[in-house]
Amino acid sequence: NNKKKYLAWKNEVNEFGIDGVTKANSEIIRKFINDMEEGRNIGKASKKGGRSYSRLNTLRIRLVFISKMLEKRGVKDLTKSDEKTVTNFFREMREGVIKTKDGKIYKSTLDYVKVFNSFWHWWIKVNKRNGIEIKDITEEIDTSKDENSFVYFTQEQLEKMMEYFSQDEQVRMLFMFDTIIRSPTELMNVKVHDL
């Protein structure tokens, strides 16, 4: 349902703006997401072309979150962000000063950093085309990977579970276990010619 969710969001935003953020942030986020959809103003090192609906949804959700959090710190326009505020925000997120809705520490701060980096480098490129130089405020943001808390289970544990599933489901489970493929997204993308 990624396409359906994205198009519904896009229609709402084009008519009413993004709820919960300033008008300036709503407009700049909308422009950024539109460019990502169409594959415009993409960074040199990035893959060319429009982004998938799944990626567009991730970008919009995370960028709106970042915008709301920076607005609480006085940044009413993302394009006017300063290096210190942004760096401190992501540091606080990584250290657990800023917590999730259920009071836990964010496990994927780097994912949010990547979204902001993507936005900021898009902003630099858009302005460069108009002869305006924008400072790269993302250089000092901590981009180290968060500690991995990978959850796994053994083949013995898998075999104990197998009896509760149909034969078709068991085949899929064994395939996923052997290939370390994730369900549902990666599994759904496997085609006959891949085998």
Side-chain angles (χ1 to χ4, degrees), residues 172-187:
R172 278 192 296 259
M173 290 170 70
L174 288 168
F175 176 73
M176 288 187 294
F177 185 83
D178 284 345
T179 60
I180 315 174
I181 197 169
R182 293 177 289 191
S183 178
T185 51
E186 289 179 355
L187 181 61

Side-chain angles (χ1 to χ4, degrees), residues 20-191:
V21 299
T22 64
K23 187 175 180 181
N25 283 339
S26 177
E27 188 59 24
I28 200 68
I29 291 170
R30 190 183 64 76
K31 287 178 182 176
F32 168 69
I33 298 296
N34 280 341
D35 273 8
M36 293 302 104
E37 179 184 6
E38 296 170 10
R40 287 193 320 236
N41 297 310
I42 304 292
K44 288 180 185 177
S46 299
K47 182 186 95 176
K48 300 302 176 203
R51 300 307 183 240
S52 69
Y53 291 111
S54 173
R55 180 68 180 148
L56 292 169
N57 283 324
T58 299
L59 287 170
R60 72 176 176 82
I61 290 167
R62 290 187 178 154
L63 196 53
V64 168
F65 167 78
I66 292 166
S67 176
K68 288 178 180 178
M69 297 303 284
L70 290 176
E71 283 179 24
K72 289 179 183 177
R73 288 160 171 72
V75 180
K76 302 301 181 194
D77 183 345
L78 281 174
T79 64
K80 306 278 190 281
S81 298
D82 64 89
E83 189 171 10
K84 184 177 180 183
T85 304
V86 170
T87 304
N88 284 339
F89 164 68
F90 286 114
R91 182 185 48 76
E92 288 176 7
M93 194 176 177
R94 185 179 296 280
E95 292 175 356
V97 175
I98 299 169
K99 295 193 181 336
T100 63
K101 288 179 183 177
D102 55 353
K104 296 180 181 172
I105 295 174
Y106 280 91
K107 294 180 181 176
S108 59
T109 305
L110 181 59
D111 294 337
Y112 288 86
V113 169
K114 286 179 180 178
V115 168
F116 186 79
N117 282 349
S118 177
F119 166 77
W120 195 258
H121 291 118
W122 166 84
W123 180 238
I124 289 171
K125 189 164 187 174
V126 165
N127 279 279
K128 191 174 186 177
R129 287 177 185 250
N130 297 322
I132 302 168
E133 184 101 12
I134 300 290
K135 181 183 178 200
D136 187 357
I137 64 170
T138 65
E139 292 175 347
E140 298 298 321
I141 299 174
D142 183 358
T143 56
S144 61
K145 284 194 171 193
D146 299 312
E147 195 171 306
N148 193 349
S149 57
F150 182 70
V151 178
Y152 66 93
F153 58 90
T154 64
Q155 187 164 358
E156 291 77 29
Q157 291 169 318
L158 174 68
E159 288 169 0
K160 285 181 186 175
M161 294 171 52
M162 297 286 278
E163 64 184 80
Y164 299 103
F165 294 90
S166 71
Q167 190 172 5
D168 273 356
E169 292 167 331
Q170 288 180 22
V171 170
R172 278 192 296 259
M173 290 170 70
L174 288 168
F175 176 73
M176 288 187 294
F177 185 83
D178 284 345
T179 60
I180 315 174
I181 197 169
R182 293 177 289 191
S183 178
T185 51
E186 289 179 355
L187 181 61
M188 288 178 3
N189 288 327
V190 175
K191 307 290 184 244

